[in-house]
Amino acid sequence: MRRLFFFTLFLFGVLLSACSIRQKGESPSLEEMAGGMIMVGFQGTSAPPSVLEAVAAGRIGGVILFDKGKKAGESYNIESPAQLKALTSSLQNASPRTLLIAVDQEGGRVRRLKTERGFGALPSAADMGRMSVEDVHVLGFRAGQEMAALGINVDLAPVVDLRLSPVSPGLGDADRLFGSQPEVVTKRALALADGLYEAGVLPALKHFPGLGSAGKDSHHDLPDVTESWSEKELLPYREAFRRGWPGMVLVAHIHHGGMDAALPSSLSPAVIEGLLRRELGWNGVVISDDLQMGAVYKGRSLEERVRLALLAGNDILLFGNYLKHDPVLHEKVLQAILDLVRSGDVSRERLERSWRRIEIMKARLPGAR
């Protein structure tokens, strides 16, 4: 009875938080705008109370789910279709606005929804690169239908990197790539994305401005593509934007000295505000790659990574909370954003721009609120 009493109090507090935010309508608080920029992972096949409470209060705008723990004994989020549906429902029901619930469902080896756990099959990008555009579109639509039915509304796919390096450790040595020719990659990747979107799932183009020539895995080290990167790696993005891309763009952790001598692309105003927004004309949502990856984690505090990511122009700061787990990571990221605004390093208007972009994108989802 005592446990039931405290759980009832917790639920009551969650509902009060949600109601208070709904009453704010179109005038979000600073905390809610900051929270809307945070996408974070957590451990467990059910949402921890601290995560549910933060979601209800608008202090988390998105979550990312994984199908296994990084280390032996670590918990994960995806066990079965029924369990996953219960998890996403609990999160979405707690949220006052549409919560972004994301997975990496590229196909092949990068599938959080695996057949051995009762989910549908999805071939690798390398296999899809040899299929017809029509067949890839059908695969995307079926995968999107499954994800949408399970409560997932963001797929961090497709990968539009070109196969330019004979060794690509961060890309499964090309298993994650549709091919080496821009036309082949663009047509199949956008066919997959169209299918996802038609089924009610927001896609994400990755890894801008191109990871296909990287000889290192950015999970561990910062790849330098200064000499190997090619302008043709931007062609899939140009075509997607020309067609009216409905999702987001995920920025890679790579170094290109010609674009920015000091900062990796994911933390670079020259790459995001310059190349992506001004030159290519993208005014939608930009999401960082995981800000816990070794390429940006080494030598930078959490506060520094948040500061640089915001100043660079990222709208959503992704923290997988997988490579290095911290049960209160979402609270630390939120506080870092708030401190930057209150100190004057980042303006409230900067957060408002990201808030508007995210809300416009979410409005494209079925049943968005």
Side-chain angles (χ1 to χ4, degrees):
M1 286 295 293
R2 182 180 178 85
R3 189 174 298 174
L4 178 61
F5 172 74
F6 283 113
F7 184 68
T8 302
L9 280 180
F10 166 72
L11 287 180
F12 181 68
V14 166
L15 289 172
L16 276 181
S17 297
C19 289
S20 66
I21 292 176
R22 287 189 183 97
Q23 291 171 358
K24 293 177 183 177
E26 296 305 313
S27 300
S29 67
L30 178 61
E31 289 77 7
E32 192 177 4
M33 288 193 295
M37 300 179 72
I38 299 171
M39 180 177 283
V40 69
F42 57 87
Q43 289 192 1
T45 52
S46 59
S50 63
V51 170
L52 276 179
E53 185 178 8
V55 166
R59 299 197 302 269
I60 293 177
V63 297
I64 181 169
L65 306 178
F66 294 93
D67 64 317
K68 61 180 180 179
K70 177 63 177 174
K71 301 175 183 176
E74 284 190 340
S75 183
Y76 49 83
N77 309 124
I78 301 171
E79 193 170 57
S80 70
Q83 168 272 324
L84 177 58
K85 177 61 176 175
L87 170 60
T88 60
S89 294
S90 70
L91 288 162
Q92 202 62 258
N93 290 338
S95 181
R97 285 186 167 91
T98 298
L99 181 72
L100 297 177
I101 301 179
V103 292
D104 289 289
Q105 188 73 356
E106 299 173 10
R109 70 179 66 189
V110 182
R111 286 179 298 125
R112 307 309 180 205
L113 311 180
K114 290 184 167 59
T115 52
E116 54 265 36
R117 290 185 174 168
F119 301 101
L122 185 63
S124 70
D127 288 338
M128 285 189 273
R130 293 183 284 269
M131 297 179 184
S132 71
V133 173
E134 293 75 16
D135 286 346
V136 174
H137 179 268
V138 170
L139 287 171
F141 183 70
R142 289 176 180 170
Q145 281 185 311
E146 179 179 46
M147 283 184 267
L150 293 167
I152 294 165
N153 54 24
V154 175
D155 186 6
L156 296 176
V159 173
V160 291
D161 300 320
L162 308 183
R163 184 174 184 175
L164 301 179
S165 172
V167 178
S168 300
L171 297 168
D173 279 335
D175 179 74
R176 299 172 65 189
L177 305 183
F178 289 94
S180 58
Q181 298 303 314
E183 184 177 6
V184 170
V185 172
T186 300
K187 287 184 175 180
R188 272 81 183 164
L190 296 188
L192 183 73
D194 286 345
L196 292 169
Y197 183 61
E198 288 167 19
V201 175
L202 293 168
L205 292 176
K206 65 184 188 185
H207 306 81
F208 186 85
L211 196 58
S213 69
K216 290 183 178 180
D217 185 349
S218 55
H219 288 83
H220 308 295
D221 300 292
L222 180 64
D224 190 331
V225 299
T226 305
E227 301 300 326
S228 58
W229 185 87
S230 168
E231 185 78 21
K232 65 183 178 181
E233 296 182 63
L234 298 178
L235 292 175
Y237 298 95
R238 293 184 188 276
E239 177 61 16
F241 301 160
R242 186 189 68 80
R243 290 173 41 176
W245 180 247
M248 59 185 84
V249 174
L250 184 147
V251 184
H253 303 315
I254 56 172
H255 172 72
H256 188 304
M259 296 180 188
D260 193 315
L263 293 169
S265 51
S266 54
L267 305 179
S268 169
V271 172
I272 296 176
E273 294 293 349
L275 177 60
L276 180 55
R277 295 209 186 278
R278 286 195 292 273
E279 184 174 330
L280 298 186
W282 176 242
N283 194 38
V285 172
V286 174
I287 179 172
S288 71
D289 208 341
D290 187 353
L291 290 168
Q292 287 185 310
M293 289 166 66
V296 293
Y297 180 88
K298 294 177 180 178
R300 294 186 181 93
S301 67
L302 173 67
E303 292 76 14
E304 180 68 358
R305 279 173 279 149
V306 170
R307 184 182 73 85
L308 290 173
L310 289 177
L311 294 177
N314 291 281
D315 299 302
I316 297 176
L317 310 188
L318 174 59
F319 287 86
N321 210 6
Y322 173 77
L323 298 171
K324 183 177 177 62
H325 181 255
D326 181 347
V328 294
L329 179 61
H330 57 281
E331 297 175 11
K332 293 177 180 177
V333 176
L334 178 72
Q335 192 58 54
I337 298 174
L338 296 177
D339 287 347
L340 286 165
V341 177
R342 290 165 181 162
S343 69
D345 289 344
V346 173
S347 69
R348 180 187 175 94
E349 290 71 28
R350 165 69 186 84
L351 267 60
E352 288 174 347
R353 289 196 295 273
S354 288
W355 170 265
R356 286 194 296 271
R357 291 187 188 116
I358 295 167
E359 290 298 301
I360 289 170
M361 181 185 71
K362 289 195 298 186
R364 303 185 185 116
L365 289 168
R369 62 188 192 279

